[in-house]
Amino acid sequence: MSTKSFYDLKTKTLEGKPADLAAYRGKVSLVVNVASKCGYTPQYNGLEKLHAELHDKGFNVLGFPSNDFGGQEPGTAEEIGTFCKLTYGVTFPMFEKVVTRLAPDQSPVYGFLWKSGYLPAWNFSKYLIGKDGQFVAFFPSAITPESPELRGAIAKALEK
């Protein structure tokens, strides 16, 4: 059966506990494949600010660590969690390390996102998901969380 909504998916938290993405239904989500040792890693600062600023308006950043690009997320779940909290003060939800690329072990999350016509070309690729769980927009790694283009798309999605 084909998944109709991002919010129909289930995954695991960074701590390995079951996570039902239905918890985010009715909210706007920014799904990001993150890595601790990437040139884009400082985007954690902007992602955390975005999450803190808009969380009460029905918005979440959802982080999915991935080691797909340059081996830039080699750590264990515990190491990733500690790094994110201590270095960037991350409070947004983080999920288990995933494979984003088309492969037999590709995460169901990225299998669904791939239907948008976009797969990450590098770490910190961003997918905007609407309140209904449907793909809204894709932003490549170089588009920062502070970008007017990204922020405008989030504002528009929150209005719907």
Side-chain angles (χ1 to χ4, degrees), residues 10-116:
K10 293 178 180 14
T11 188
K12 290 184 179 175
T13 65
L14 190 59
E15 296 79 23
K17 296 177 182 162
D20 190 340
L21 297 180
Y24 304 100
R25 193 179 310 275
K27 297 180 169 96
V28 173
S29 296
L30 188 67
V31 179
V32 187
N33 63 310
V34 295
S36 301
K37 299 183 182 302
C38 176
Y40 292 111
T41 300
Q43 286 190 22
Y44 268 123
N45 275 327
L47 292 170
E48 179 59 29
K49 286 178 189 167
L50 196 60
H51 181 77
E53 177 186 327
L54 298 175
H55 179 72
D56 289 343
K57 296 178 180 167
F59 173 80
N60 290 289
V61 171
L62 306 178
F64 287 85
S66 177
N67 200 39
D68 287 354
F69 306 103
Q72 295 180 346
E73 189 55 275
T76 64
E78 185 178 353
E79 290 167 340
I80 295 166
T82 299
F83 171 81
C84 290
K85 283 184 180 67
L86 294 181
T87 310
Y88 294 103
V90 168
T91 63
F92 58 80
M94 292 283 289
F95 298 90
E96 69 178 344
K97 193 185 297 188
V98 297
V99 172
T100 64
R101 296 178 176 175
L102 281 178
D105 58 345
Q106 182 185 40
S107 159
V109 168
Y110 281 85
F112 177 82
L113 295 172
W114 175 71
K115 292 185 213 171
S116 70

Side-chain angles (χ1 to χ4, degrees), residues 102-141:
L102 281 178
D105 58 345
Q106 182 185 40
S107 159
V109 168
Y110 281 85
F112 177 82
L113 295 172
W114 175 71
K115 292 185 213 171
S116 70
Y118 299 95
L119 272 179
W122 201 253
N123 303 307
F124 290 87
S125 295
K126 301 157 198 75
Y127 296 82
L128 187 61
I129 305 296
K131 295 176 185 178
D132 59 359
Q134 299 306 305
F135 169 81
V136 174
F138 176 80
F139 300 92
S141 308

Side-chain angles (χ1 to χ4, degrees), residues 3-16:
T3 303
K4 304 276 188 229
S5 164
F6 179 79
Y7 301 128
D8 291 340
L9 295 165
K10 293 178 180 14
T11 188
K12 290 184 179 175
T13 65
L14 190 59
E15 296 79 23

